């Protein structure tokens, strides 16, 4: 992972792409795919890494020239992780840019806010990172290539109780759809198993000081501190917990799977245990991504790359079945595009095989991982069969 200066340069380049892509003119020689994510601010690394993955997928597809004389075009909009900005972004992409598909909106809160519009416009939407349970309930044009919080929270709670032998957990979450949803699911499952939540504390997204909450947590003497947050907050919490002498095992969620944590928290990242979608990641993709961008992809980047490729497969399929007149006008059947994705089975993605449940959720197991010497390491892969935790490998 490059340092802040190089990240800033990448964000500037992404912004340049955005400005160059803002023309409202519609043409018959390009198919537009939108991306909404945080490209600036504390959470920019999530948007940067995913948008680079999508750009890579689109460039590779254009090199194959699947539709003669027509190219795919990526239009990036910056949400800053903010709901209002996300809504403004989808208004532009839908009304002005006339996108055919959308990758995003990265965070669950933004995705929940923008998908009513994409559903109404029948814009195929695939998120590689929005995990809140209600995302795909918005409608049948909404899919995701990341496992839901419902499964992740249950597996995390069962793993803590049954595999780690933990009985006392403190939870510190931020008040957004992603973090709060995971906290609630974890709390419900852990207490149902017989465990005790000895402290339940929260802060606002963007907060820098968690010492008040951590002081309360320290007094409760938990065995585990569960942090279902993004890396900007996790890094602050790790540093301040260390300063306060809290020695509880840190348990996190998939928001931790972003290599920026190593820059922000350093050695304090070592030993953290976190859950994420099971990923049988492609080394070839990782190397190609690093060679092009100088960054290592996070777990969500694998998901976004796969989502973009599945989307383009669906669009090419619709074009191939269109009439000559509709091909000439690039008038594609959006229902056909949506049905192609719904019927994807065992797609050989860089994140592993992808299939979808009827509601648009990806079929995935949950990986339990840790950090050793500032590198991610898989501990095991788990699923829930009935109500029991089952180790897959």
């Amino acid at each position: 992972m490059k340092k802040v200066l190089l990240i800033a340069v990448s964000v500037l380049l992404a912004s340049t792409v955005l400005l160059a892509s803002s023309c409202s003119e519609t043409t018959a020689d390009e198919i537009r795919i939108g991306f909404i994510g945080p490209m600036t601010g504390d959470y920019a690394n999530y948007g940067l890494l995913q948008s680079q993955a999508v750009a890579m997928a689109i460039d590779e597809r254009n090199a194959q020239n699947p539709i003669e004389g027509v190219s795919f075009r990526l239009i990036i909009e910056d949400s800053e992780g903010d709901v209002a900005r996300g809504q403004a972004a989808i208004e532009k992409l839908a009304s002005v840019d006339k996108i055919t598909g959308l990758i995003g909106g990265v965070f669950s809160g933004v995705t929940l806010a923008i998908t009513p519009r994409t559903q109404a416009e029948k814009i195929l939407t695939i998120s590689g990172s929005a995990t809140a349970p209600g995302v795909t309930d918005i409608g049948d044009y909404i899919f995701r290539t990341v496992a839901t919080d419902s499964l992740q929270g249950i597996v995390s709670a069962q793993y803590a109780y049954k595999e780690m032998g933990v009985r006392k957990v403190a939870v510190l979450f931020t008040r957004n759809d992603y973090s709060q949803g995971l906290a609630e699911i974890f709390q419900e499952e852990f207490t149902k198993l017989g465990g005790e939540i000895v402290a339940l504390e929260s802060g606002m997204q963007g907060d820098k000081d968690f010492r008040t909450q951590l002081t309360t947590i320290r007094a409760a003497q938990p065995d585990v501190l569960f942090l279902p947050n993004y890396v900007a907050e996790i890094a602050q919490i790790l540093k301040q917990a260390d300063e306060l002498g809290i020695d509880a095992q840190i348990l996190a969620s998939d928001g931790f799977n972003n290599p920026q944590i190593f820059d922000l928290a350093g050695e304090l990242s070592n030993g953290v245990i976190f859950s994420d979608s099971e990923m049988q990641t492609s080394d070839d993709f990782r190397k190609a991504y690093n060679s092009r961008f100088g960054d290592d992809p996070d777990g969500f980047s694998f998901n976004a790359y796969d989502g973009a490729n599945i989307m383009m497969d669906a669009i090419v399929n619709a074009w191939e079945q269109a009439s000559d007149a509709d091909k000439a006008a690039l008038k594609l059947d959006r229902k056909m595009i949506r049905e192609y994705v719904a019927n994807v089975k065992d797609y050989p993605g860089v994140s592993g095989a992808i299939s979808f449940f009827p509601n648009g959720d990806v079929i995935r197991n949950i990986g339990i991982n840790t950090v050793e010497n500032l590198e991610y390491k898989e501990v095991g892969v788990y699923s829930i069969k009935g109500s029991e935790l089952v180790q897959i490998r």
Side-chain angles (χ1 to χ4, degrees), residues 55 140 168 201 206 214 216 249 293-294 297 330 332 363:
D140 59 352
K168 297 195 302 180
E201 297 291 320
L214 288 169
T216 299
Q249 169 66 51
F293 301 112
L330 276 185
L332 304 181
I363 300 173

Side-chain angles (χ1 to χ4, degrees), residues 350-387:
V350 297
S351 64
I354 295 175
S355 301
F356 294 103
F357 287 110
N359 70 344
D361 286 341
V362 72
I363 300 173
R364 278 266 164 89
N365 298 316
I366 298 296
I368 299 294
N369 313 278
T370 190
V371 177
E372 292 182 0
N373 299 318
L374 300 184
E375 291 186 355
Y376 294 125
K377 180 181 179 181
E378 183 183 280
V379 174
V381 175
Y382 295 82
S383 187
I384 300 295
K385 304 296 184 183
S387 61

Side-chain angles (χ1 to χ4, degrees), residues 134-149:
V135 166
T136 53
D137 293 342
I138 300 295
D140 59 352
Y141 280 77
I142 318 302
F143 296 81
R144 55 179 152 198
T145 49
V146 64
T148 70
D149 289 340

Side-chain angles (χ1 to χ4, degrees), residues 47-127:
L48 174 66
L49 296 182
Q50 285 194 57
S51 64
Q52 289 177 165
V54 176
M56 186 171 166
I58 288 176
D59 288 348
E60 290 170 351
R61 189 62 60 102
N62 283 336
Q64 298 169 7
N65 193 28
I67 303 176
E68 187 174 356
V70 177
S71 62
F72 289 98
R73 178 183 174 193
L74 175 62
I75 305 179
I76 300 171
E77 290 289 336
D78 182 10
S79 69
E80 295 184 20
D82 178 75
V83 166
R85 289 184 178 274
Q87 290 173 322
I90 192 56
E91 173 65 28
K92 173 184 176 294
L93 289 171
S95 299
V96 179
D97 298 308
K98 307 294 185 182
I99 59 171
T100 300
L102 175 73
I103 304 295
V106 177
F107 290 167
S108 293
V110 173
T111 306
L112 286 164
I114 66 178
T115 44
R117 179 62 186 275
T118 60
Q119 176 66 28
E121 298 279 350
K122 297 184 178 180
I123 297 170
L124 175 67
T125 302
I126 304 178
S127 176

